[in-house]
Amino acid sequence: MLQTNQLKQALVNGKTVFGLLNSIPSPLVVEMIGYAGYDFVILDMEHVCVNPETLENMVRAAECAAMTPLIRVPNAAPENILRALDCGAQGIVIPHVRNRFDAEQAVTASRYYPLGSRGISGGRTTGFGTLDLPTYFERANAEIMVVAMIEDKEGIDNLDAILSVTGIDMVLEGAIDLSQSYGLPGQAQHPSVEAAIDKIATACFERNVQFCAIPRAANQLHAWKERGVQAYLLGDDRGVNFRALKAHLMGFK
């Protein structure tokens, strides 16, 4: 059953939160991330092959570990958003938001009337009928987050239009795709890419929209904290696991 979104509440309360991108489609891994102390996890459906039953169990694993589960859908198509939210996600992450239309489509597909046109279903989101539908609609509209990823030059050019859409709760930068969009593939810390990310953050501050930073160097976390950023995505679980496994082995060699 849909509960209070602890990530959203923490941000409202001025707390700093940390998340991880999940690229290993396993409920056990998600549960481990939660018990390690992360505040939120982004379950990836854009680049990762995961079947619907496994995805739903990954959401359950996050709930079990008191961690907020968000799902990154492949795009802003309403049918993708609908399935992600119906399995229990407390928010959706939309990649490649390039313009106002993309943002509006994401919000409309994520919210019930009068804030949107999300299709109606029961099941686990209502506690199999424990919550009556009017109560659930009100709770879902209040608790479910819509996170827009800006990772294209077109998105940078349309920042004002995107952020003017009511219902965008947070913006996440996508430096790797941005680097490609600027003709600098793979150069996430190139000055042109960093300038684009700074532009995203500044626009979010001006619009009072939460900005989620991805620290890629030791000094970046401090710099973002100095600017008042509350939300941080700390890479993905594949990289974290690989580095930990490699370090573990090297400790014995």
Side-chain angles (χ1 to χ4, degrees):
M1 183 166 63
L2 184 66
Q3 302 294 323
T4 299
N5 189 321
Q6 297 299 329
L7 169 61
K8 194 171 187 177
Q9 192 61 53
L11 292 170
V12 169
N13 292 338
K15 296 181 179 179
T16 299
V17 295
F18 297 96
L20 199 64
L21 178 67
N22 166 254
S23 299
I24 303 173
S26 163
L28 180 66
V29 171
V30 173
E31 189 174 8
M32 193 183 306
I33 293 168
Y35 280 110
Y38 288 86
D39 301 287
F40 67 98
V41 64
I42 299 177
L43 310 176
D44 192 13
M45 288 180 64
E46 183 189 14
H47 294 289
V48 177
C49 295
V50 54
N51 69 59
E53 183 179 3
T54 299
L55 182 66
E56 188 171 294
N57 285 330
M58 289 161 70
V59 170
R60 286 191 179 95
E63 293 170 346
C64 173
M67 177 174 59
T68 300
L70 311 177
I71 294 179
R72 180 164 71 176
V73 292
N75 51 51
E79 58 269 22
N80 292 327
I81 294 172
L82 180 67
R83 284 193 291 271
L85 293 179
D86 281 353
C87 81
Q90 290 191 298
I92 49 127
V93 179
I94 310 293
H96 296 287
V97 175
R98 297 182 174 94
N99 49 54
R100 183 182 179 90
F101 174 80
D102 291 343
E104 288 178 334
Q105 185 179 39
V107 172
T108 298
S110 303
R111 304 255 156 73
Y112 293 110
Y113 178 87
L115 304 180
S117 59
R118 177 183 166 189
I120 298 169
S121 180
R124 71 181 309 267
T125 54
T126 65
F128 305 96
T130 303
L131 273 182
D132 62 83
L133 285 178
T135 301
Y136 170 68
F137 295 157
E138 183 178 1
R139 181 180 293 182
N141 280 350
E143 301 296 342
I144 287 172
M145 296 181 69
V146 177
V147 181
M149 288 195 73
I150 308 296
E151 44 190 346
D152 302 273
K153 187 178 183 299
E154 184 181 350
I156 299 295
D157 294 340
N158 291 314
L159 270 174
D160 286 342
I162 292 168
L163 294 178
S164 69
V165 174
T166 301
I168 297 295
D169 297 292
M170 188 161 68
V171 170
L172 174 64
E173 52 102 333
I176 300 300
D177 280 320
L178 268 173
S179 71
Q180 180 166 261
S181 184
Y182 278 85
L184 302 160
Q187 300 180 57
Q189 296 183 55
H190 188 281
S192 295
V193 177
E194 291 194 333
I197 294 172
D198 180 75
K199 189 173 181 180
I200 297 171
T202 299
C204 287
F205 298 150
E206 291 173 350
R207 292 275 187 173
N208 199 28
V209 175
Q210 289 287 344
F211 171 72
C212 184
I214 305 177
R216 295 179 175 84
N219 63 327
Q220 289 182 342
L221 178 64
H222 177 72
W224 284 125
K225 283 187 173 181
E226 286 289 302
R227 294 184 66 182
V229 173
Q230 295 176 242
Y232 299 91
L233 185 67
L234 306 180
D236 73 51
D237 53 4
R238 288 176 303 190
V240 171
N241 276 277
F242 180 76
R243 289 189 294 272
L245 288 168
K246 190 173 181 179
H248 178 70
L249 175 61
M250 294 307 294
F252 289 92
K253 284 190 173 183

